[in-house]
């Protein structure tokens, strides 16, 4: 009778996914990432033509490839950022299983491209480095395990995540890939700290990392050579670090001028591991400060948004992803100025590299998905619901 008098009430229409995504996503972070990508293309025009010439390729061969993979990375970022936390958790679990199997098969099917470490799969037209894709899915998977331990009567998620981290780091160290292994340890350690790990346990884990590093130094010539080179008070001007530090010093505040830099002619990895040296030499510290500011902005803004998040899984996963992004940038730039030992790590969205830029897009997409604006439950409701959380 009520419907006959007042008319039936229509069900509210669900908001289309694109408008909803645009309304809730962090557009400032999207803009900062786009600027980093454009800076990477700009530096690619400066750094890659000499390498293309040495390899008898078209002058802008690597720039075109960087633009192609960069677009793929940006698309992956946008698509991933549209996921809900639950979908992200499920797909990351599957992705972790696939990436881990790919890591295990590297000694059989992988290649080292003459660099002494079997880290890649060669596809003929391109190569894939599975450790790049392992990092973000490992972080989300570990966050799921840790958050499960916060549920009353839940599984021992922190212990399980520690076991998984040890296995993953061990597999990476055997490649050897100590750079990616150390990055995963740092991100996992920060997540474990945020999850409420006892201080004595954190000290014990730090001691275990030191012991593992000492063992690697004594038993790995590759690792020992890099540490010895870092600790040597003098810099050989004919090494990669020597060329990079000289280029940064020559660039000064405003740089030597577009196209006038020399480090790109001397370094085989100027377009990847040492792209910041190209930026400092040709454009000066001004551009370097802009790049550093953009990485700081993305990382700190994500942590600020996560500080208001009450869901443990979202808070832990977002913290780990932000740490991955920020620490990889710190490591890359720290190596170039000799603050850290050489690790062979790219600068996200700026360095050349197909796996690197696509994986960075997925990482930032996950972070954007977790930091989207969403209604926050009352703390009391959240505690009550966590008892029966469907993970």
């Amino acid at each position: 009778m009520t419907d006959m008098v007042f008319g039936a009430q229509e069900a509210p229409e669900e908001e289309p996914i694109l408008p909803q995504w645009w309304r809730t996503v962090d557009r400032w972070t999207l803009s900062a990432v786009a600027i980093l990508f454009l800076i990477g293309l700009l530096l690619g025009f400066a750094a890659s033509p000499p390498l293309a010439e040495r390899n008898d390729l078209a002058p802008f061969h690597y720039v075109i490839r960087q633009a192609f993979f960069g677009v793929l990375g940006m698309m992956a970022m946008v698509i991933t950022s549209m996921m809900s936390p639950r979908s992200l958790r499920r797909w990351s679990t599957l992705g972790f299983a696939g990436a881990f199997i790919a890591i295990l098969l590297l000694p059989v099917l992988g290649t080292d491209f003459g660099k002494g470490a079997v880290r890649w799969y060669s596809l003929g037209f391109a190569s894939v480095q599975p450790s790049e894709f392992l990092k973000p899915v490992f972080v989300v998977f570990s966050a799921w395990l840790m958050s499960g331990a916060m549920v009353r009567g839940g599984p021992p998620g922190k212990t399980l995540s520690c076991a998984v981290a040890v296995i993953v780091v061990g597999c990476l160290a055997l490649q050897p890939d100590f750079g990616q292994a150390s990055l995963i340890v740092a991100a996992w350690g920060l997540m474990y700290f945020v999850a409420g790990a006892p201080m004595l346990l954190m000290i014990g884990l730090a001691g275990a990392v030191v012991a593992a590093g000492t063992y690697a130094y004594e038993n790995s010539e590759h690792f020992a050579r890099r540490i010895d080179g870092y600790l040597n008070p003098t810099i050989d001007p004919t090494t990669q670090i020597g060329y990079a530090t000289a280029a940064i010093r020559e660039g000064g505040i405003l740089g030597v001028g577009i196209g006038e830099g020399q480090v790109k002619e001397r370094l085989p990895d100027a377009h990847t591991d040492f792209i910041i040296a190209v930026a400092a030499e040709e454009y000066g510290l001004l551009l370097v400060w802009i790049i550093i500011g953009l990485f700081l902005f993305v990382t700190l803004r994500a942590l600020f948004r996560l500080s208001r998040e009450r869901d443990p899984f979202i808070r832990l996963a977002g913290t780990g992803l932000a740490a991955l992004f920020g620490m990889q940038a710190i490591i890359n730039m720290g190596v170039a100025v000799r603050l850290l030992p050489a690790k062979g790590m790219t600068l996200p969205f700026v360095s050349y590299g197909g796996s690197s830029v696509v994986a960075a897009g997925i990482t930032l997409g996950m972070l954007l998905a977790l930091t989207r604006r969403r209604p926050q439950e009352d703390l009391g409701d959240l505690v009550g619901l966590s008892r029966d959380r469907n993970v």
Side-chain angles (χ1 to χ4, degrees):
M1 179 66 70
T2 305
D3 290 345
M4 294 176 62
V5 176
F6 298 101
Q9 184 177 2
E10 295 183 0
E13 294 185 4
E14 186 176 352
E15 186 178 9
I17 186 170
L18 279 177
Q20 183 187 47
W21 170 80
W22 183 249
R23 179 174 55 81
T24 58
V25 77
D26 185 2
R27 295 190 289 270
W28 285 101
T29 296
L30 277 175
S31 301
V33 171
I35 294 172
L36 282 172
F37 173 55
L38 293 176
I39 290 175
L41 286 180
L42 176 67
L43 296 177
F45 278 104
S48 61
L51 179 64
E53 182 179 356
R54 289 195 294 269
N55 293 336
D56 296 324
L57 298 170
F60 299 115
H61 170 80
Y62 293 105
V63 178
I64 295 172
R65 287 175 63 87
Q66 184 175 359
F68 172 74
F69 287 114
V71 170
L72 286 183
M74 299 295 282
M75 290 173 59
M77 179 181 68
V78 171
I79 293 172
T80 307
S81 68
M82 294 181 181
M83 291 185 180
S84 67
R86 177 174 293 185
S87 297
L88 193 65
R89 182 170 59 230
R90 292 172 175 172
W91 282 107
S92 294
T93 302
L94 294 175
F96 173 74
F100 184 66
I101 291 172
I103 292 289
L104 294 178
L105 293 177
L106 274 174
V108 180
L109 303 176
T111 182
D112 62 355
F113 289 109
K115 296 185 178 182
V118 182
R119 303 175 185 173
W120 298 271
Y121 286 105
S122 177
L123 304 180
F125 62 92
S127 61
V128 176
Q129 186 175 354
S131 61
E132 291 283 359
F133 299 94
L134 178 71
K135 292 182 296 184
V137 292
F138 164 80
V139 163
V140 177
F141 180 66
S142 294
W144 174 46
L145 292 176
M146 291 183 189
S147 63
M150 299 178 184
V151 180
R152 183 177 299 178
K158 293 181 181 179
T159 303
L160 291 174
S161 71
C162 182
V164 172
V166 170
I167 294 171
V168 168
V169 170
C171 292
L172 291 176
L174 291 175
Q175 292 183 0
D177 192 348
F178 296 107
Q180 302 288 11
S182 62
L183 188 57
I184 283 180
V185 167
W188 179 86
L190 180 59
M191 292 167 58
Y192 203 40
F193 177 78
V194 172
M199 187 57 66
L200 287 178
L201 180 59
M202 295 300 296
I203 294 174
L205 290 173
V209 171
V210 172
T214 303
Y215 178 83
Y217 179 80
E218 294 176 348
N219 294 274
S220 172
E221 181 182 353
H222 171 79
F223 186 80
R225 185 171 60 252
R226 292 197 170 188
I227 296 298
D228 290 340
Y230 170 69
L231 295 176
N232 193 333
T234 60
I235 302 177
D236 185 350
T238 60
T239 61
Q240 293 195 94
I241 296 294
Y243 287 132
T245 53
I248 294 171
R249 184 171 55 250
E250 288 294 326
I253 300 295
L254 299 178
V256 298
I258 301 175
E260 300 298 323
Q262 298 300 314
V263 69
K264 61 192 178 187
E265 305 283 350
R266 300 166 180 168
L267 287 181
D269 296 326
H271 63 314
T272 55
D273 300 349
F274 292 95
I275 192 69
I276 200 69
V278 177
E281 185 180 29
E282 297 203 359
Y283 296 92
L285 288 178
L286 184 61
L287 181 60
V288 175
W289 289 336
I290 292 174
I291 293 173
I292 293 174
L294 289 169
F295 279 106
L296 277 174
F297 174 80
V298 172
T299 305
L300 296 179
R301 183 171 175 83
L303 292 176
F304 174 75
R305 291 171 73 94
L306 289 166
S307 67
R308 298 176 294 180
E309 180 60 56
R310 291 178 175 174
D311 187 303
F313 165 73
I314 294 176
R315 189 168 60 247
L316 291 172
T319 299
L321 293 169
L324 276 182
F325 183 74
M327 286 191 293
Q328 183 165 338
I330 290 174
I331 291 173
N332 176 274
M333 291 184 280
V335 167
V337 297
R338 206 168 178 258
L339 288 176
L340 295 171
K343 293 184 180 296
M345 194 170 293
T346 57
L347 190 60
F349 292 106
V350 179
S351 296
Y352 171 84
S355 296
S356 173
V357 71
V358 175
I362 294 173
T363 301
L364 261 294
M366 290 178 171
L367 187 58
L368 287 167
L370 295 172
T371 56
R372 284 170 57 184
R373 291 195 304 272
R374 57 178 58 86
Q376 295 292 320
E377 297 165 335
D378 292 335
L379 189 58
D381 295 339
L382 185 64
V383 172
L385 288 173
S386 65
R387 299 173 185 172
D388 303 314
R389 184 183 297 274
N390 181 16
V391 298

